[in-house]
Amino acid sequence: MADLIRVCGATASADDVVAALERDGGVVIEGFLAPATLDGLRSDLMPRLEQQATGRDAFSGFNTRRLGALFAHTRHCAEIATHPLYLPVAEHFICRPRDVWVGDQLRPVATDLRVGVTQAIQIGPGQPAQPLHRDDTVFMWKHPTEGREGRVQVICAVSDFTADNGGTLVIPGSHLWDDGRKPEVSETVPTEMPAGSALIFLGSTFHGGGANRTASEFRTAAGLALDASNVRQEENMYLALSPEVVASYPEPIQRLLGWAAGRNHMGWVEVDGQMVDPIHLLRRSDGKSLTGLGARSQVEAA
Ligand SMILES: O=C(O)CCC(=O)C(=O)O
Ligand SMILES: [Fe+2]
């Protein structure tokens, strides 16, 4: 199995990254983060990750720590999301116009981009490999995608990634497979890259966190996904209805209004290191106000 294409941040263009992704479904960009961004991510995220509990299921990883809501924890997410070798690349795969009829006019309509998920992931010694999966499973996206992706993901190496410490396993070319084909571990290549580099991959590419077979190394990543803006509710219920109003309805209505992580794990919120169903946040028994649920930020607004 051939390695993923690697491109060098200093010399690569967004077209080079697109070409690599079209071929392999994944690409490593060396020197993706500016040194100051890498330092900032380390100092913002490492102490917080240390406080997180490890996962409670095999997919999250019993020896893996996760931290969500990254824009609340580090302002360096903004540099990642708008990186010139990431944002235009995500736009290329996601924001493809489609011709739709409106009255007697056939008009091209395109989606925008939204940040769909943010997560720091620290894989600890002894963690087995994560089951191989496609991240666009949350959207029940059909494969092959014919080039129209729902998600483009970036995983930045905050520490070195090696084949032994949990470097992400990727199956090159698997973005072209149909839905019936089973991914095999023997088809994967480990992502090996120094801190400051990044792996970009399509939502349709099979991948998973690697096994950490080291005695004491922690593999730390900061990642986010840019998603198609159409995979959401049309009316913004989270702004239109306060948590108190939602909480005053019976649970089936709360879920219909969007306060639920569905059967495909869509809509979770990270609480104490776990990706939980937000319905639990409406059931607070400590009498505290339901407002300010998003106010866990330690980062001062600029
Ligand atoms: O940690 C990694 O390398 C990948 C994790 C992943 O793919 C996931 O949790 O969906
Ligand atoms: Fe994943």
Side-chain angles (χ1 to χ4, degrees):
M1 179 62 63
D3 272 355
L4 286 176
I5 287 179
R6 309 179 80 83
V7 300
C8 179
T11 55
S13 68
D15 286 346
D16 296 334
V17 179
V18 166
L21 287 170
E22 274 172 349
R23 198 192 86 150
D24 281 348
V27 60
V28 170
I29 299 181
E30 287 172 355
F32 181 83
L33 300 174
T37 306
L38 175 60
D39 283 352
L41 288 170
R42 276 200 185 111
S43 55
D44 291 342
L45 299 180
M46 290 299 208
R48 299 217 128 238
L49 274 165
E50 268 171 33
Q51 294 165 17
Q52 295 295 89
T54 51
R56 292 198 203 125
D57 58 69
F59 192 88
S60 297
F62 294 110
N63 290 352
T64 297
R65 296 178 195 279
R66 291 172 187 262
L67 177 71
L70 287 193
F71 278 82
H73 298 302
T74 176
R75 298 196 69 85
H76 294 291
C77 279
E79 287 134 57
I80 300 172
T82 59
H83 194 291
L85 296 183
Y86 176 48
L87 183 100
V89 169
E91 207 159 6
H92 170 89
F93 285 100
I94 293 173
C95 307
R96 300 202 162 179
R98 238 183 237 283
D99 285 339
V100 297
W101 284 104
V102 182
D104 58 4
Q105 286 182 340
L106 188 60
R107 293 187 196 155
V109 175
T111 69
D112 301 307
L113 295 174
R114 297 282 180 268
V115 174
V117 58
T118 62
Q119 201 166 62
I121 305 177
Q122 189 169 64
I123 299 182
Q127 172 65 54
Q130 191 184 34
L132 296 169
H133 61 279
R134 286 170 152 151
D135 279 353
D136 64 9
T137 301
V138 286
F139 311 140
M140 308 296 286
W141 211 253
K142 269 183 80 68
H143 305 98
T145 64
E146 290 164 357
R148 185 185 296 281
E149 296 288 325
R151 166 170 291 179
V152 178
Q153 175 91 32
V154 60
I155 293 185
C156 301
V158 176
S159 65
D160 293 345
F161 275 38
T162 68
D164 272 344
N165 76 6
T168 312
L169 302 176
V170 178
I171 304 185
S174 57
H175 61 306
L176 304 173
W177 295 2
D178 65 27
D179 281 308
R181 182 160 168 185
K182 179 173 172 254
E184 303 287 351
V185 175
S186 58
E187 299 171 286
T188 62
V189 295
T191 301
E192 298 182 276
M193 55 184 178
S197 294
L199 166 71
I200 296 182
F201 59 97
L202 303 178
S204 54
T205 303
F206 274 108
H207 68 282
N212 188 332
R213 290 179 285 268
T214 70
S216 58
E217 272 178 51
F218 287 80
R219 190 231 67 178
T220 306
L224 60 87
L226 289 172
D227 291 355
S229 60
N230 56 314
V231 287
R232 61 175 293 170
Q233 288 154 281
E234 178 181 341
E235 185 180 359
N236 193 323
M237 302 297 172
Y238 308 101
L239 290 178
L241 307 172
S242 69
E244 290 88 344
V245 168
V246 179
S248 71
Y249 282 95
E251 183 177 322
I253 303 295
Q254 296 173 354
R255 289 186 179 276
L256 285 173
L257 289 170
W259 284 72
R263 283 171 286 213
N264 60 341
H265 212 58
M266 188 68 173
W268 54 266
V269 61
E270 183 255 297
V271 177
D272 299 332
Q274 316 304 320
M275 293 136 81
V276 303
D277 193 321
I279 202 97
H280 299 298
L281 300 181
L282 295 173
R283 293 188 196 135
R284 290 179 66 143
S285 55
D286 57 7
K288 283 195 188 143
S289 165
L290 289 167
T291 54
L293 287 175
R296 302 184 311 120
S297 170
Q298 299 298 307
V299 177
E300 293 300 316

